[in-house]
Amino acid sequence: MQGLHLLLDAGVEIRHTERLHAKCFIVGSKAMVGSANLTGSGLGFSTSANRELGVHLTNEQADEAHRITVSWPAKTVMRTDLEELLNEAKNVGRIGRTQDKTLDASSALQLAERLLLDARDPQRSLWLKLEYGEPALDGWREQSWFASPKKGKPGFRAGDLVFICAKATGDCYAIVEVVDDPEYQPDFYVKWAASNDTAALARWPWTNKTTPRLVPDSLMELKLSEIGVSGQALQNGHVRLKLDQFSAGVRALARLATA
C-alpha cells in the first residue's frame, strides 16, 4: 500500500482492471511479459527472490502489448480508493459467524463459543451500549446501527463486540459486532433523523453500523446487574466491559436462549 502511495506522489497514474492477472512491464521501448509480480521477490531484488520466468519483447511486440493493455476497461485509482482498500483489509477475517434469523439450542451454543473466542482477541474491545426505549429484538437481527452522543468521537471500532441493553427496562438482550469506525452524521442517518427524530442528529451525531452475533428469539431475563455494570457507569450511554463481564453475559444469554 505504501508503494502505491509513493507512485501517486511521483505523479504515476494507477488504474484498476477487474480480474487482471497478466504481468506485463513496459518502460519506454522496452517490455517484458512473464510470471513475476511487481515486487522485490518477483523481480529478483530481494534476498529471498522467487524463481520466475520472463520474456523480453521486440519493439513491435511491445507496441502490441501496450495497445492491448490500454484497451482493457479500467478505473483510475485515487488516494481515497487506497484508504478504503486498507480499511477493508484490516477487517478481513475479523467478523465472526453472523447469526441466522432464528436460533436453536445447537446454533446458540455455537455462536456463544465463537463469541467467547473472539472476545479474547486483543485487537477487539468489549462494550455495553444503552439503547433508549423498550427492547427491540427484531431490529438487531439484521444489519443495523447505533448512535452515540456529541461529547466526542466514540471509541467503537470495527470488530468490537457490543452488548445491547434497553435503558427503559435494564434488559441486556442482544450482542452485535461493530463493522465500521464511527461516522459523523452520515447521509443515511441524516435521512433517518429527518423522518423519525430531528433532534437525534444533533444529540447523537456519531454512528456505527453493526451485524448480529447473538440475538435470542425472545426477550431474556438478563439484567445490567448480572453483567456487573451499574447505571452510574453509563452516563455516556456506553461503557467498556472486562473480559470476565462480557463472558459471563454471553454464557447467561446463551443459557437462557437454550432453556
Side-chain angles (χ1 to χ4, degrees), residues 45-188:
F45 301 137
S46 73
T47 56
S48 56
N50 298 332
R51 291 185 175 87
E52 307 280 3
L53 186 64
V55 178
H56 288 281
L57 304 183
T58 65
N59 290 348
E60 181 178 327
Q61 290 170 330
D63 290 341
E64 178 66 8
H66 181 268
R67 184 191 67 77
I68 292 172
T69 55
V70 298
S71 71
W72 291 332
K75 171 191 172 184
T76 300
V77 175
M78 312 298 290
R79 292 188 189 277
T80 53
D81 298 315
L82 297 182
E83 294 302 325
E84 182 178 346
L85 181 62
L86 180 60
N87 287 332
E88 291 178 357
K90 288 179 179 178
N91 295 325
V92 170
R94 291 294 303 282
I95 297 179
R97 179 188 170 189
T98 57
Q99 181 181 319
D100 297 329
K101 292 291 181 66
T102 58
L103 287 179
D104 56 26
S106 176
S107 61
L109 290 174
Q110 288 175 1
L111 289 172
E113 289 173 1
R114 182 65 199 181
L115 270 170
L116 293 173
L117 179 63
D118 288 346
R120 288 169 170 77
D121 180 353
Q123 300 301 314
R124 298 179 191 265
S125 292
L126 311 173
W127 301 86
L128 188 143
K129 177 78 169 67
L130 280 184
E131 285 295 295
Y132 288 86
E134 300 289 328
L137 282 166
D138 288 344
W140 298 110
R141 293 196 187 97
E142 308 286 346
Q143 303 293 315
S144 191
W145 55 274
F146 55 68
S148 299
K150 62 182 179 181
K151 294 183 179 181
K153 188 175 182 179
F156 300 110
R157 295 293 180 268
D160 289 357
L161 301 172
V162 184
F163 248 107
I164 301 299
C165 183
K167 183 176 182 181
T169 65
D171 291 296
C172 299
Y173 62 95
I175 303 173
V176 299
E177 180 170 340
V178 177
V179 297
D180 66 353
D181 289 348
E183 290 186 277
Y184 187 82
Q185 297 183 347
D187 290 343
F188 82 87

